[in-house]
Amino acid sequence: MASSKEYLEFILEQLSDLDGITYRKMMGEYIIYYRDKIIGGIYDDRFLIKPFKSALEYIPEIIFETPYEGAKEMILIKDIDNKDFITGLFKVIYNELSTK
């Protein structure tokens, strides 16, 4: 099942306080970039991010899911209605990426 454009638009709105959010449509799903770095994506109307160390420390309850059969597990972002939480999450992830 492909992800809906409406779900993508909702997630983009939740990320609207961040500069540098872009996406790429790929095979009916969406890859999410933050300042040119792949952070995660939208798969079957689920917002999943890579299992960054900083994300594992930031998110209180981690749920792993695979975006598609045969893929590596990613972190499911359940609290998609909490814009401040998602913005903070992306900031800590980017801080981790920028130190590498």
Side-chain angles (χ1 to χ4, degrees):
M1 172 179 100
S3 294
S4 69
K5 184 77 170 177
E6 293 78 20
Y7 190 83
L8 168 68
E9 290 170 357
F10 176 76
I11 295 300
L12 292 176
E13 175 58 32
Q14 295 301 87
L15 297 169
S16 64
D17 289 343
L18 299 167
D19 292 327
I21 296 292
T22 57
Y23 69 92
R24 175 176 287 151
K25 187 170 184 172
M26 188 174 292
M27 298 168 47
E29 308 298 354
Y30 301 94
I31 307 301
I32 304 294
Y33 296 82
Y34 180 37
R35 297 182 180 173
D36 299 321
K37 306 278 187 181
I38 296 174
I39 301 295
I42 298 171
Y43 306 90
D44 298 328
D45 286 341
R46 297 171 298 151
F47 186 29
L48 304 175
I49 62 166
K50 293 180 174 184
F52 298 102
K53 181 181 178 187
S54 54
L56 295 171
E57 295 169 357
Y58 186 86
I59 300 170
E61 182 183 332
I62 304 294
I63 298 171
F64 289 101
E65 293 193 4
T66 56
Y68 50 88
E69 189 174 329
K72 292 181 181 179
E73 288 187 327
M74 298 176 78
I75 300 171
L76 173 66
I77 305 303
K78 288 184 62 172
D79 199 4
I80 61 170
D81 292 324
N82 187 337
K83 188 173 186 172
D84 291 335
F85 171 78
I86 294 173
T87 299
L89 173 62
F90 270 54
K91 286 179 179 178
V92 299
I93 290 170
Y94 189 78
N95 287 340
E96 177 182 341
L97 294 176
S98 64
T99 60
K100 291 184 178 181

